[in-house]
């Protein structure tokens, strides 16, 4: 038995073994660029019968590129293997529980994929006139009306592509409204528990951030709020239930106080899932509301997007909404039931086209499947699941604000850290090893060593049970083996803890940046 | 219980008991009665999935302009390109579809590596070293580019070519109200931007200059002039480029651009009535710390194995809060992964091929259309994959008539450029055949007669 | 820190953690029955408006079941998680190289999935009259004509659902032909290298198996063949190239000899991939030919099926083909171009309907994409890849018949076993650990410790390289660490070596059979 | 190089050089020139995927009887059932689709466990302890059942009810030529089998008795009589059952069947013009060693973890060769996995629900159809989800006329039973609405007038 000496290497590129398939889960998957070999190809196009004019006759010399863009050259077979193997290195809702607080990682019904793939929706050009896109306009109007009923608002724009986009849109609406009323204001109030997009959006809206602290209930400190309220306050941004998973009980007083100084209330709808059908932002006194359809209405997160962040407003703000907006013309003529209209004092366009439309279609399908009755049950069970976790674990982990929560609960490893040096991060990483995704950690910022758990309503009781058992076991293990041992986890994941500092220190943002 | 809720009534009762509650509504004790909704939502009750599908199919059926019914000659930043089964299949893998932003890199290498590959491909097309992990769409990328430029130059004035997509320009105007930027539109003459020799008026010298390549009318502008202009003014050069056209055209970086933005829908994303699309953003290294949105970087794990992770997080809203470079959080990752797959399918030769086929189809269409009585070129500047013509009658009327003949004729230039009412923007992709184009021209002759 | 004592278990069922997701790849995935909890449900149906008559009024008492069938009760979310996790425990072509000899595990183009999903093909009832299924009949006729050109035969039946079904169909054709010519014969000859389905089919065809040995070239021993040829021989079944991956060079002589005694030649098309466009069974003298569309024409194997095994025959056997058959009527009337016809002496129906029709559609799409030119290249590169592997490894492993092979090569660990006790199975299992699927082992039976490698044409040179490097490394490792150590592999797979003996000894064919 | 071949010309040249060859055709030196094809195949050259799709879409378009164009009232063993998106999505996972028969259990637990779950579900529906991993279709399952029965009883005569699907009976006849079985058809009278009191003629006493439940006409037969008959004759009782009907009906095992066979298409597999479908096969423990096809069993791995593997392989062709219980190798695994998923979606309550809805729709349809002048019941025996009627004119004519009204009216009984030319077999699944059924009846009234 010997190895062939004059065995020729036919190519240096690495081979197509399932090296990264978690079936085996050891080696890294090479990049597409490493798998690439000159001359391979996957593409094919239709026969067109169009004369094959040379590039010289198509592109003037000064515009013509000299060297081709080096993309990557692989066979279709290797392309499929590469991305299939990458998918095996990725956790997802479809693989298991994903209790990522504030992200509402609920089950994404497959029916909505079918809807988003309908040729009659997916194949429509956005610039086609209203007369030829009545279905889309009707769908959008139906969704807008539905969202308004759910939030208790008068009208909505479906343009914002995500929550943060909705926030900025809302702040520009705020500004437009104040400008229209001759009062330029400079400050927007947000609680210290607010999500980072809130202050960032405030800045982009041209306002100055004024932060109010939370009190010992985990709610806005009313006294502190009153102390900053004045005629220069354009409005306040609130998440309710807030990012601690607690309902702002003084919401009515807050609304009254802010309105008294002529400010507007902005509702960050990231946590809307908790109150569907129970209480509506409009009824709480909010003037502007964004929704994260990719949270509350189960459109898939796609590894970080796309989302959709429609913004609904009260009557007085309708004239300022972005445009053009789809509306019912009232006309009975075929192809004329719906049209486009730009509000007379519109802040203008906030999306290149009409919003993340296919995401809107998914959300409407989801709402229709659940119905008004189902939406309320969603809120009820989402809150039930979170409270069950809280009750089950409140002896095992610290619960900074230990009272009934809404759809999510914020735990803390404060004691574990003090007594055993175990941090929230260690618990999160250890949980990955158990086959669950980790909770959100270190948010909200006002809770030290925060573990923010949002089970959502689609996790079954047995999954809650398994999650609780794992978290209890980890706490016990932390005491038993200590911080160092715990800090070595995870072990069984495609990669183990990564060197984030190095990534930032010696930045490698592309394959070409590698020395 | 609700459609997708697993719980049985017994389990709910058991869980409530564990909480010491007897009624599920007690969970909402913290909500003041005064604000509670005292009625049920006025929405239909939930229905089974087949009914839902039937309802949605009705909407789909009412869209006449679907590309399986009207042959699509419309472009304007959204193109009817080939999307092979392989791209649909891979981009549809539920691990990519149902995961969140990769906060836990140990279990998110799939998305992270795919985005790293996407960033590399975008950077190569842009001819610039850094690309982010995606923004909402082309327009939002342009807005972020202007924000970056103003922050970098500390000058609020922005010159935007009229050749930039009218919707992008509208977005720039919308968001400038918040940022206080001064947006000045520089007109097109003969299809190309007529840059002023020097800053005039009160606005002062611009910190950012934004130009389209090809521009909205499909025309190719000489960007060396823009580079020279920016050098003279000390402004950042932002190019809004069609990434697919880079199969044939010089890249933005090659022309000296500081930032390239673009619409990535052309790489495997369906027309979908305009969303979700894919905002592309690439820039020179000097601006990396002002980069908006997420950035994936390569690093190693504790066993020194290659690993990927989102990096330079200190720029972002969740850490930097009101001082963040941008407020973007959720972006368009799935479309970025889709683009990486589609570009992998195209590869080096396919990117050239698809651009060439689009150019051929467009030039062939242009020839046929200009042969129609009364139809004249809108501009004489060279075009690549899209072009504008002047019609003897209103474009809207022509578009309606062409639909009856089975075509989505293009996009009216009404509102896009002065006197655009008689202007029609026409694009022909690699999916168009000679027969379709000949029939289109014949139908157009009737429509304008 | 303590664990809540009176924490209630809300359900005993295991939870939905990604325990089996090979992201972590340790724990087993519970069965759907273990995940089941009374009262969960996923199903939903449309609103029909049909009166809700009670079961008593629908089913007479004696027919009505008393206890429901206990299927399993899970939420849609848990259903999705369960099967997605199971998919992560499964190797596939899409994950990596699958050099399983005799199985032709080539890349299955995704376009064919799209074709099989076309509503106009997938939504057609098989009993609809020809006038309403002209598209399907036209598709089948086009495929039949194409397959006849590829094999050099006169006509074909598309009914057989797989290769083995094709074999039995072919043997019944053989029998019908002999019966029609008044000669009842009793014997069918097969080489000792034949696949197991051949003898099994011979028996079901009512014939007696006569086995002829292979000679030292790995081909049919001509002398031995002549010695068994007589008037009682109905025919011979050959695979060419044979299961050793070698071309039966004497095929012309074999054909002549068999025909001389009035026998027929049956071609087992499992290895057709090797000779597409190069040589045709019909031109070699075969009378009956089956094809495995799920091998040669890239229709996916589906974890063990479905396949399709059309049988093509020479002119003289056409009258005996199964019926009904789609055919060109020659009529110009709309909806009448194609019809059904049953040959006058047909052996009858061999499939409940018309065959695995959607598999047929996939195969035609694949053939159209490749074209006549592409099919020949497939054979060329399939053979090239196999020979490259043979040449690269023939110093490392035994090559029983060391001469140019066709699309697959049979290696052996005879020396490794003699000198180090390492068996083919050990090499195969060790290869799994490398991220490749194993080759076929212990087949053909006439080669001891056989490792049968069929790379197929869709594996790129770098994949061949990686495969060869791994096989060389394993051979070296075998010498280094010895048989025992090697026998412990695989380690990184979802499960390690399984106890097959126990499975047979204490049979557990269903979840209910568990004590 | 060919469409799906990765190799470049250079690589091929390099590989040939390594083999000491100069021309790729030299690889075929072993093929005698005399038999080689001296021309190229007379097939069109390869085309791009878009052209392939266009070609296949033409065929699809020429099928008038697609269930999105004609409302389907046809059954006869192939039914138009709901297939939810979730079943399509999961069954379409490429790990299930592109893997081979699980020869290496260490990397095939996904398919193996799914099949183990499938076997459990089939066994439960059959009321029998053992199920195999699938056969080609209902008809082939019936053939295998007869082979098993003859082998078990050593008696070649088989009694087959005329109520068994006519195509199954044709297959039994086809394969009996090879096995030498004597197939005797026992006629239906009034929709149920008229079993002879005793064996008559030369054939002798049957070793196997095969009956349908419900039978081809949709009628429910009293199987206790069949069990008694089999006991008297010492024959094996084989029931061809509609597995979906077990949501309401007693299982085959409950009636005392030794073997249950059935068509599993009803569980998530598209109509697809008849294939690929799913042959179900379940039997009593005493026959497990004669079981045809693959069988998955539970066991453990070296670390004592639960694992699944194909077992009792000694029955199979690759080991037992000419003495194998069957020649089946490739079967219909993907359809078995699909059925496990669909049954998981239905669950205990859904199986009852879908059977009940089918029964309601069928009875509602029957009422409406029998109200049509000149349409009379074919038989009086009770039906569940399908029924037969006698028409005043030829069924084929009616089916053609009904198509013009937008319906696939059903299946003509021509050739299925004596004088079937005027018989129409009608099925209404859970997908049929009252409106559709009312319209169907109205159209039928016109069609027969
Ligand atoms: C409380 C809160 N507000 C705002 C956002 C931003 O929403 P998006 O990511 O859709 O931009 C999030 C998302 O994580 C959030 O949790
Ligand atoms: C040589 C040979 N003959 C026949 C067969 C049987 O074909 P099928 O599995 O399609 O029934 C096979 C399949 O493995 C084979 O390799």
């Amino acid at each position: 038995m010997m190895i062939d000496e004059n065995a020729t290497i036919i190519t240096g590129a690495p081979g197509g073994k399932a090296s990264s398939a978690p079936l085996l889960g050891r080696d890294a998957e090479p990049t597409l660029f490493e798998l690439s070999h000159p001359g391979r190809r996957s593409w094919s196009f239709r026969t067109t019968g169009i004369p094959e004019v040379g590039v010289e006759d198509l592109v003037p010399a000064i515009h013509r590129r000299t060297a081709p863009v080096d993309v990557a050259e692989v066979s279709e077979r290797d392309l499929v293997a590469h991305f299939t193997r990458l998918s095996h290195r990725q956790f997802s809702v479809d693989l298991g529980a994903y209790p990522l607080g504030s992200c509402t990682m609920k089950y994404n019904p497959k029916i909505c994929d079918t809807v988003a793939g309908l040729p009659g929706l997916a194949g429509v050009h956005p610039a086609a006139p209203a007369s030829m896109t009545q279905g889309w306009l009707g769908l959008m109007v139906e969704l807008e009306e539905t969202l308004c009923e759910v939030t208790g608002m008068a009208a909505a724009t479906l343009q914002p592509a995500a929550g943060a986009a909705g926030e900025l849109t809302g702040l520009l609406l705020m500004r437009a409204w104040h400008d229209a009323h001759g009062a330029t204001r400079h400050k927007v109030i947000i609680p210290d528990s607010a999500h980072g997009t809130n202050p960032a959006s405030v800045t982009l809206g041209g306002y100055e951030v004024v932060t109010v602290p939370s009190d010992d209930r985990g709610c806005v400190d009313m006294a502190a709020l009153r102390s900053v309220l004045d005629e220069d306050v354009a409005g306040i941004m609130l998440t309710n239930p807030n990012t601690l998973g607690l309902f702002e009980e003084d919401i009515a007083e807050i609304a009254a106080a802010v309105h008294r100084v002529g400010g507007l209330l902005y509702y960050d709808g990231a946590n809307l899932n908790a109150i569907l059908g129970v209480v509506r932002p409009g009824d709480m006194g909010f003037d502007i509301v964004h929704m994260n359809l990719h949270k509350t209405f189960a459109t898939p997160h796609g590894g970080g997007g796309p989302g959709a962040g429609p913004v609904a407003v009260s009557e007085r703000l309708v004239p300022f909404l972005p445009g053009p907006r789809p509306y019912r013309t009232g006309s009975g003529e075929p192809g004329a039931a719906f049209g486009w209209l730009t509000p007379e004092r519109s802040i203008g366009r906030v999306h290149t086209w009409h919003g993340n439309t296919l995401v809107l279609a998914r959300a409407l399908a989801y709402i229709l499947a659940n119905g008004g009755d189902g939406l309320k049950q969603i809120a009820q069970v989402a809150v039930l699941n979170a409270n069950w976790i809280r009750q089950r674990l409140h002896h095992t982990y610290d619960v900074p604000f230990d009272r009934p929560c809404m759809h999510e609960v914020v735990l803390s490893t404060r004691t574990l850290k003090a007594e055993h040096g175990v941090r929230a991060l260690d618990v999160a990483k250890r949980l990955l090893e158990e086959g669950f995704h980790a909770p959100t950690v270190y948010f909200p910022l006002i809770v030290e060593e925060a573990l923010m758990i949002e089970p959502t309503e689609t996790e079954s009781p047995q999954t809650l049970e398994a999650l609780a058992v794992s978290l209890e076991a980890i706490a016990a293990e932390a005491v038993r083996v200590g911080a160092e041992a715990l800090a070595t986890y995870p072990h069984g994941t495609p990669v183990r803890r990564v060197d984030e500092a190095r990534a930032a220190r010696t930045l490698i943002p592309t394959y070409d940046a590698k020395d | 219980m609700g459609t997708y809720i697993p719980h049985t009534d017994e389990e709910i009762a058991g869980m409530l008991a564990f909480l010491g509650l007897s009624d599920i509504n007690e969970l909402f004790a913290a909500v003041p009665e005064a604000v509670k909704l005292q009625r049920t939502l006025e929405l239909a009750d939930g229905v089974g999935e087949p009914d839902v599908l039937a309802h949605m199919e009705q909407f789909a059926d009412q869209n006449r302009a679907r590309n399986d019914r009207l042959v699509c000659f419309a472009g304007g930043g959204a193109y009817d390109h080939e999307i092979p089964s392989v791209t649909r299949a891979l981009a549809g893998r539920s691990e990519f579809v149902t995961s969140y932003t990769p906060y836990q890199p140990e279990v998110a290498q799939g998305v992270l590596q795919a985005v790293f590959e996407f960033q590399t491909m975008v950077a190569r097309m842009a001819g610039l070293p850094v690309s982010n992990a995606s923004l909402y769409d082309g327009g939002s990328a342009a807005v972020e580019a202007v924000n970056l430029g103003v922050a970098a130059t500390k000058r609020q004035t922005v010159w935007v070519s009229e050749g930039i997509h009218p919707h992008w320009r509208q977005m720039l105007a919308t968001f400038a109200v918040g940022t206080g930027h001064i947006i000045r539109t520089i007109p097109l003459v003969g299809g190309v931007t007529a840059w002023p020799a020097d800053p005039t008026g009160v606005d002062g010298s611009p910190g950012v200059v934004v130009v389209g390549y090809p521009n909205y009318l499909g025309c190719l502008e000489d960007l060396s002039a823009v580079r020279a202009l920016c050098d003279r003014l000390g402004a950042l050069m932002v190019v809004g480029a069609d990434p697919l056209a880079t199969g044939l055209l010089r890249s933005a970086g090659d022309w000296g651009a500081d930032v390239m933005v673009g619409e990535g829908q052309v790489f495997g994303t369906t027309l979908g009535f305009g969303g979700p699309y894919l905002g592309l953003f690439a820039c020179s290294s000097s601006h990396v710390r002002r980069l908006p949105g997420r950035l994936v970087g390569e690093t190693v794990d504790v066993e020194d194995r290659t690993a990927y992770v989102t990096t330079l997080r200190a720029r972002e809203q969740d850490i930097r809060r009101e001082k963040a470079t941008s407020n973007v959080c959720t972006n368009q990752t799935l479309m970025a992964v889709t683009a990486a797959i589609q570009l992998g399918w195209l590869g080096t030769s396919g990117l050239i091929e698809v651009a060439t086929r689009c150019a051929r189809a467009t030039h062939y269409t242009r020839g046929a259309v200009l042969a129609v009585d009364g139809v004249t070129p809108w501009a004489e500047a060279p075009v690549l994959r899209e072009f504008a013509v002047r019609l003897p009658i209103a474009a809207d009327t022509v578009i309606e008539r062409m639909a009856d003949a089975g075509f989505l004729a293009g996009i009216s230039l009404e509102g896009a450029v002065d006197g655009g009412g008689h202007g029609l923007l026409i694009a022909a992709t690699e999916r168009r055949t000679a027969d379709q184009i000949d029939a289109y021209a014949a139908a157009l002759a009737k429509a304008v007669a």
Side-chain angles (χ1 to χ4, degrees), chain B residues 3-8 10-11 14-15 18 47-51 54 85-86 88-90 93-95 106-108:
Chain B
T3 319
Y4 302 106
I5 298 175
H7 303 55
T8 63
E10 301 65 41
E11 286 174 317
M15 292 170 76
F18 178 58
V47 294
E49 290 189 351
D51 290 352
S85 300
V86 66
R88 294 180 193 275
L90 294 174
R93 296 274 310 171
S94 64
E95 297 88 343
E106 298 84 353
V107 292

Side-chain angles (χ1 to χ4, degrees), chain A residues 286-470:
Chain A
F286 285 94
D287 305 280
I288 308 168
V289 176
H290 94 244
M291 290 147 275
N292 305 66
L293 302 190
H294 44 300
K295 297 181 179 188
T296 311
F297 300 112
T299 68
H301 284 77
V311 171
V313 296
S314 55
E315 205 58 54
R316 57 179 173 165
L317 285 152
V318 177
F320 302 95
L321 282 174
R325 294 179 53 211
Y327 79 110
R328 291 185 193 278
T329 60
S331 150
E333 284 172 33
F338 300 95
W340 290 109
L341 195 66
T342 298
E344 66 276 14
R345 306 165 84 170
S346 173
I347 61 167
R349 185 183 281 278
V350 299
H351 188 274
T352 302
W353 297 103
H354 319 304
N356 279 348
T357 30
L358 284 175
V359 176
L360 303 177
R362 288 171 176 271
L364 181 58
Y366 176 79
I367 292 171
L368 290 169
N370 283 282
D373 52 343
L375 292 183
K376 183 168 186 175
Q377 291 166 339
I378 285 169
Q380 291 174 327
V381 177
V383 173
L384 178 66
N385 277 358
N387 276 286
W388 187 89
I389 287 286
R390 181 186 53 75
Q391 181 66 24
R392 171 70 178 262
L393 295 176
H394 78 310
H395 294 300
T396 311
Y397 291 90
D398 301 298
V399 183
F401 303 94
D402 197 1
R403 57 195 182 85
C405 60
M406 301 299 281
H407 67 301
E408 64 195 354
V409 58
V410 178
L411 307 178
S412 163
T413 63
R414 199 166 77 269
T415 309
L416 270 175
K417 187 181 176 199
E419 298 176 2
H420 308 279
V422 174
R423 302 165 53 233
L425 187 73
D426 301 321
V427 173
K429 299 298 186 190
R430 182 67 185 79
L431 193 60
L432 294 178
E433 186 80 11
E434 292 303 304
F436 293 103
H437 195 279
T440 295
V441 288
Y442 302 106
F443 177 70
L445 307 177
I446 58 171
V447 172
E448 67 176 289
E449 299 301 330
L451 282 169
M452 185 190 216
I453 300 177
E454 181 181 11
T456 83
E457 72 281 1
T458 57
E459 291 309 339
S460 60
Q462 67 243 56
T463 296
L464 296 184
E465 184 75 41
L467 177 62
V469 167
S470 290

Side-chain angles (χ1 to χ4, degrees), chain A residues 6 8 37-40 44-47 75-76 88 110-111 114:
Chain A
N6 43 35
T8 52
H37 182 78
R40 302 239 191 288
S44 70
F45 295 105
R46 69 190 52 203
T47 312
S75 64
E76 183 168 315
H88 273 232
K110 298 299 173 195
I111 177 81
T114 303

Side-chain angles (χ1 to χ4, degrees), chain A residues 102 162-164 167 195 197-198 239 243 268 270 292 294-295, chain B residues 100 329-330:
Chain A
S102 206
E167 294 172 24
H195 187 267
T197 50
N198 292 187
T239 311
T243 63
D268 177 333
N292 305 66
H294 44 300
K295 297 181 179 188
Chain B
Y100 199 76
C329 180
T330 290

Side-chain angles (χ1 to χ4, degrees), chain A residues 150-151 239-242 245-248 267-284 286 289 296 375-380 382-383 406-407, chain B residues 27-28 30-31 35-37 41:
Chain A
V150 168
T151 52
T239 311
N240 195 17
N242 63 29
L246 303 171
F247 193 85
E248 295 282 353
Y267 183 86
D268 177 333
N271 295 346
L272 184 66
N273 205 53
I275 60 169
L276 292 170
V278 175
V279 52
R280 310 187 305 171
D283 301 336
M284 295 185 224
F286 285 94
V289 176
T296 311
L375 292 183
K376 183 168 186 175
Q377 291 166 339
I378 285 169
Q380 291 174 327
V383 173
M406 301 299 281
H407 67 301
Chain B
L27 288 167
F28 299 91
V31 182
V35 298
K36 266 195 188 145
L37 184 64
L41 289 172

